[in-house]
Amino acid sequence: MTYALPADAAEFYESTFVPALFAGWARRLIEAVAPAVDETMLDVACGTGAVACASTAGRVTGLDLNPAMLAIARRKRPDLDWQLGDALELPFADGAFDVVVSQAALMFFPDRVGVLREMARVGGRLGLQVPGRLAASPGYVALTEVVARHAGPAVAAVIGAYFNVGDPALLTDLCTRAGWHIDHFTTWMSATHLPTLDTFLHAELLPVSGHVDAATHARIVADCRVVLAPYLAADGSVSAPLEVQLITARERA
Ligand SMILES: C[S@@+](CC[C@H](N)C(=O)[O-])C[C@H]1O[C@@H](n2cnc3c(N)ncnc32)[C@H](O)[C@@H]1O
């Protein structure tokens, strides 16, 4: 699974998902890994730069496979270093960074241990943050069940894939096999906040829209309106709980 995006989808990501979710995650990740002003930091699969832009490191590099995401990151913070590249082959020397972080991306890498090993090669301390378990994120369970009912399990798995590395034992094993010693493993609850249910459904159903016809999509939306009612506030906004796993680690001696 990859994450190739056209320019308008990257703009949608920045205007919708970053304020709804990832800007808040980024503050938490930076607080946990605490880069100092005299340190260098690499943000792997930086997207539009949520974590890189929140960093307290003196020198920050963001790397991503997607030029459209990087163009937005560069527009936001032209003073930071943005590089196009693949997380599996980081174009940096051994030990080039004091801190290496990655947020909301590990699940997209076909070779997760390979990427974590590359991060260990170029970095000293690790900060890693990913969506947790689908089963611990009830609004997303409801959404996925509706998609499965109307479009089948294979299409539902497209949404489920976001949670594919959310199991603590799996994450611990991946990091350990890649040569990291885990200092802190924190499970916390975030929530996806969006101003309307329409925006939420548009955003969260985007990955499945290419797999279903218009009539099926309409049935999915209608059922989702019912099952997501518990997550609506009086002003019509949505707040869907989402478990997050946050790891800080250092290279094993
Ligand atoms: C959900 S976004 C997360 C972006 C950012 N870290 C954030 O917190 O907003 C996932 C990102 O992973 C990037 N990505 C996926 N596979 C990659 C790879 N092999 N190398 C570099 N970036 C990759 C995508 O282009 C996308 O920008």
Side-chain angles (χ1 to χ4, degrees), residues 2 5 13-14 37-38 47 60 63 72 75 77 93 106 115 121 131 140 142-143 159 175 182 193 209 222 225 243 247:
T2 62
L5 286 177
Y13 179 88
E14 170 65 13
V37 286
D38 61 348
V60 177
L63 174 135
I72 295 171
R75 183 178 78 205
R77 288 291 300 271
L106 188 68
V115 170
R121 180 183 66 76
Y140 288 88
L143 184 85
I159 294 182
C175 289
I182 294 177
H193 290 289
S209 55
R225 288 188 183 288
E243 188 182 69
I247 290 173

Side-chain angles (χ1 to χ4, degrees), residues 74-148:
R74 201 170 282 121
R75 183 178 78 205
K76 279 162 54 180
R77 288 291 300 271
D79 57 314
L80 304 184
D81 175 35
W82 303 106
Q83 299 206 20
L84 189 64
D86 187 341
L88 194 53
E89 291 175 35
L90 294 173
F92 307 108
D94 296 1
F97 298 92
D98 298 301
V99 175
V100 59
V101 299
S102 185
Q103 171 170 290
L106 188 68
M107 61 280 190
F108 297 125
F109 304 144
D111 179 359
R112 290 152 190 163
V113 173
V115 170
L116 287 167
R117 251 190 218 124
E118 266 296 86
M119 292 173 74
R121 180 183 66 76
V122 304
R125 307 201 303 284
L126 173 71
L128 182 70
Q129 195 154 239
V130 291
R133 291 159 291 198
L134 176 60
S137 308
Y140 288 88
V141 173
L143 184 85
T144 308
E145 283 172 357
V146 169
V147 173

Side-chain angles (χ1 to χ4, degrees), residues 1-5 13 18 22 43-51 63-66 69 85-88 102-105 107-110 115 162:
M1 182 177 184
T2 62
Y3 203 86
L5 286 177
Y13 179 88
V18 172
F22 295 124
D43 180 6
V44 174
C46 63
T48 58
V51 183
L63 174 135
D64 201 279
L65 204 52
N66 196 300
M69 298 292 251
D86 187 341
L88 194 53
S102 185
Q103 171 170 290
M107 61 280 190
F108 297 125
F109 304 144
V115 170
Y162 288 92

Side-chain angles (χ1 to χ4, degrees), residues 172-234:
T172 301
D173 179 58
L174 293 174
C175 289
T176 307
R177 278 164 53 207
W180 292 104
H181 169 85
I182 294 177
D183 287 322
H184 295 286
F185 194 123
T186 308
T187 299
W188 64 281
M189 287 306 293
S190 72
T192 306
H193 290 289
L194 282 165
T196 67
L197 185 55
D198 280 345
T199 319
F200 181 87
L201 290 176
H202 176 65
E204 298 295 357
L205 293 174
L206 266 182
V208 304
S209 55
H211 299 275
V212 295
D213 59 31
T216 307
H217 195 269
R219 282 194 294 275
I220 290 172
V221 167
D223 276 10
C224 281
R225 288 188 183 288
V226 176
V227 298
L228 292 173
Y231 308 101
L232 286 181

Side-chain angles (χ1 to χ4, degrees), residues 12 54 96 138 151 238 248:
F12 181 77
V238 183
T248 57

